[in-house]
Amino acid sequence: MPTTARPIDEIASYHAHIYFDPAATRPAAERLRAAIGERFSVRLGRWHEVKVGPHDQAMFQVAFETRVFAQLVPFLMLNHAGLSILVHPNTTNARRDHLNDALWIGAPLKVHGEVLPEVGEADEAGEVNTAPTMGA
């Protein structure tokens, strides 16, 4: 551990990248996406059927505020249906966020960190586009 701990307020928000195989596991990803939208105030991103950014596999992103982490991440742990999920903080170092400070639910996958910046703006969660009607 470094001599000075990094403060957790360095984290502006979180992303969960939910990976799927378009030919085999998209229905499971659709069910999980619907369950997330029914239960959590988050920003559900677009479906990416092909490689995008540092991600080698089809996926969609869930952006969420730090206050949502304690409920959403355990829900994903228990309900990921065998899908791989990368959860990472958003700070000013996207490369470190994805490669060093992330956690995996399910099997870890390759992430191409070399395409991510080491210095930049921390991503905010963005405007919520869900309307939860159920509890976690």
Side-chain angles (χ1 to χ4, degrees), residues 44-125:
L44 293 172
R46 295 184 314 260
W47 291 94
H48 295 281
E49 300 285 335
V50 295
K51 176 182 167 144
V52 60
H55 311 284
D56 264 350
Q57 191 168 338
M59 63 97 187
F60 68 90
Q61 174 182 283
V62 180
F64 55 101
E65 298 287 341
T66 58
R67 63 180 169 71
V68 178
F69 184 96
Q71 293 295 313
L72 177 58
V73 173
F75 178 84
L76 294 174
M77 289 172 169
L78 298 177
N79 296 285
H80 65 96
L83 300 172
S84 293
I85 303 175
L86 171 68
V87 179
H88 68 80
N90 288 309
T91 71
T92 58
N93 187 328
R95 184 176 300 172
R96 181 183 60 210
D97 294 343
H98 283 74
L99 299 179
N100 302 109
D101 298 339
L103 62 90
W104 282 96
I105 299 170
L109 303 174
K110 175 86 171 140
V111 176
H112 299 280
E114 68 277 1
V115 304
L116 296 168
E118 292 189 63
V119 177
E121 294 288 319
D123 284 347
E124 298 294 332

Side-chain angles (χ1 to χ4, degrees), residues 28-39 44 47 60 134:
E30 290 171 350
R31 287 189 297 276
L32 181 55
R33 182 183 175 94
I36 293 167
E38 291 171 343
R39 290 166 174 80
L44 293 172
W47 291 94
F60 68 90
M134 304 175 70

